[in-house]
Amino acid sequence: MATSATVSKSFLSAFDVDRHDGLGLVLSAALPLAVFVIANGLAELNGMLPLFFSPLGLPGWAGAVLHLGALPLFGAARWMVADRGADGRHAGWWIVALMVGMIGFPFLVAPLDSLMLSLVAFVLLVVGMGATARVAAVEPRAALVMMPGLAWMGVSAFVGLSFVAAWTPPFAVTNSQGGA
């Protein structure tokens, strides 16, 4: 009687983002972009388009590339800390919260005025800084991987708050320059 040996691995284990090999890294980096694509599709079905921060005459697509380019970096950083015990898993959940905020941000800002938009960007930056601090305590290299995305978030929050301060009383010297 012939017997056959079967592989006991599940088919779905190939899609485990916490596996610590090259495929796990690729899946961790690609998953946030895939979630953004799904969110974009659902939003477009409801007539919403994402709005991206593009200052100083940058075309809109450049702002989108910079914004979306941070998502794989955050996914890779989450992958780097995922196997580092309880502290690593806790830091990983902070990164997941940051990625959820980064994915939802372009869709939530359309109805906001400039002050609320700037405040939401600043809150997202604070969450990113908190996530980076927790990641740095577990794996400093993972925190370095997150830095380009945080730099772009910082520029967004700083420029947004600067514009709001320039056009809002009592700092609105530009508003009072109009003459009579």
Side-chain angles (χ1 to χ4, degrees):
M1 174 181 237
T3 60
S4 66
T6 60
V7 178
S8 63
K9 289 186 176 183
S10 169
F11 170 72
L12 294 177
S13 68
F15 297 110
D16 182 15
V17 295
D18 288 336
R19 61 187 296 154
H20 284 282
D21 57 5
L23 182 59
L25 176 61
V26 169
L27 288 172
S28 291
L31 185 61
L33 288 175
V35 171
F36 180 83
V37 168
I38 292 168
N40 189 34
L42 291 174
E44 193 167 330
L45 287 174
N46 292 315
M48 293 175 55
L49 292 176
L51 298 176
F52 294 100
F53 173 69
S54 297
L56 307 173
L58 283 174
W61 63 265
V65 166
L66 289 168
H67 183 89
L68 296 176
L71 290 174
L73 298 175
F74 296 155
R78 197 213 57 82
W79 176 82
M80 293 171 77
V81 299
D83 72 334
R84 303 294 176 139
D87 289 339
R89 285 189 299 276
H90 185 69
W93 282 111
W94 272 85
I95 297 173
V96 169
L98 175 62
M99 289 188 291
V100 167
M102 288 285 290
I103 290 168
F105 183 78
F107 302 105
L108 299 176
V109 298
L112 300 179
D113 65 349
S114 57
L115 176 61
M116 289 308 298
L117 171 62
S118 299
L119 290 176
V120 170
F122 186 73
V123 167
L124 191 58
L125 175 64
V126 169
V127 170
M129 290 173 22
T132 304
R134 282 161 177 77
V135 167
V138 176
E139 177 61 49
R141 291 181 299 155
L144 289 175
V145 169
M146 294 176 68
M147 283 301 144
L150 282 177
W152 182 245
M153 291 168 55
V155 167
S156 171
F158 175 74
V159 170
L161 288 173
S162 298
F163 285 157
V164 167
W167 291 96
T168 306
F171 308 109
V173 294
T174 53
N175 283 344
S176 64
Q177 302 292 327

